[in-house]
């Protein structure tokens, strides 16, 4: 699990503090991590496992927790390099789940696509503080993942 927050320099920075994290990225979560995420954020298990299921299809779903908080799930099929040879590069797609809470974005997948690592490394321009929350802009994390 990698935790990031958006610092005053408008860049992602890794943190060890889950409370201050704006973005939590989880690659191949264990059963223990899945149960902890469910309990901590009141997320349905199928939201968490959607990014791990090879048969998952792209979809959007909204869930209302016991506290009344709306939790959104967006599943996409992200391109992942499968083979490389002298003939070229072969890509396949794997599910990639984005869970949007009121103050965090969780991303979950089996294998992290290169472009997600580039976003985490701040290999992007024109980022704004409203990256995670509120009004959508072209620098919103979810839109940047999709684009």
């Amino acid at each position: 699990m990698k935790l990031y927050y958006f610092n005053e320099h408008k860049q992602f920075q890794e943190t060890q503090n889950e409370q201050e994290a704006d973005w939590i990225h989880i690659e191949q979560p264990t059963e223990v991590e899945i149960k902890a995420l469910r309990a901590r954020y009141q997320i349905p298990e199928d939201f968490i496992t959607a990014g791990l299921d090879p048969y998952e299809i792209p979809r959007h779903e909204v869930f209302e927790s016991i506290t009344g908080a709306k939790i959104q799930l967006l599943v996409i099929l992200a391109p992942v390099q499968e083979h490389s040879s002298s003939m070229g590069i072969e890509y396949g797609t794997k599910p990639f789940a984005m869970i949007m809470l009121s103050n965090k974005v969780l991303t979950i997948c089996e294998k992290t696509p290169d472009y997600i690592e580039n976003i985490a490394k701040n290999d992007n321009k024109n980022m704004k503080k409203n990256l995670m929350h509120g009004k959508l802009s072209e620098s919103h994390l979810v839109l940047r993942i999709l684009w």
Side-chain angles (χ1 to χ4, degrees), residues 3-135:
L3 309 170
Y4 302 95
Y5 75 95
F6 200 60
N7 69 24
E8 67 276 359
H9 302 292
K10 299 182 179 180
Q11 295 183 331
F12 282 112
Q13 185 171 330
E14 270 195 78
T15 181
Q16 299 302 314
N17 183 346
E18 191 169 337
Q19 298 290 13
E20 77 176 354
D22 295 308
W23 174 21
I24 300 174
H25 178 67
I26 306 115
E27 183 176 316
Q28 295 182 336
T30 64
E31 282 297 317
V32 171
E33 288 175 314
I34 290 170
K35 286 180 183 176
L37 289 168
R38 284 186 62 207
R40 192 172 309 119
Y41 298 110
Q42 300 179 357
I43 302 170
E45 185 170 349
D46 70 309
F47 275 31
I48 299 167
T49 58
L52 308 172
D53 181 355
Y55 301 106
E56 185 66 68
I57 58 171
R59 64 185 169 111
H60 176 259
E61 194 172 322
V62 178
F63 172 79
E64 190 170 326
S65 73
I66 295 169
T67 63
K70 292 198 185 315
I71 300 169
Q72 295 186 60
L73 168 70
L74 180 62
V75 179
I76 63 169
L77 293 178
V80 177
Q81 182 177 333
E82 291 186 343
H83 303 286
S84 180
S85 69
S86 60
M87 299 294 290
I89 299 172
E90 183 178 322
Y91 287 88
T93 58
K94 300 273 185 187
F96 187 88
M98 293 173 272
I99 302 170
M100 291 149 286
L101 308 172
S102 63
N103 62 347
K104 293 185 191 311
V105 173
L106 281 68
T107 53
I108 303 170
C109 61
E110 179 183 292
K111 182 180 184 307
T112 303
D114 291 341
Y115 70 94
I116 299 301
E117 290 178 7
N118 291 341
I119 291 171
K121 292 176 186 172
N122 299 298
D123 192 12
N124 294 287
K125 311 276 188 284
N126 302 320
M127 294 165 52
K128 296 178 181 134
K129 181 61 182 167
N130 69 350
L131 187 65
M132 305 296 170
H133 324 296
K135 186 178 126 184

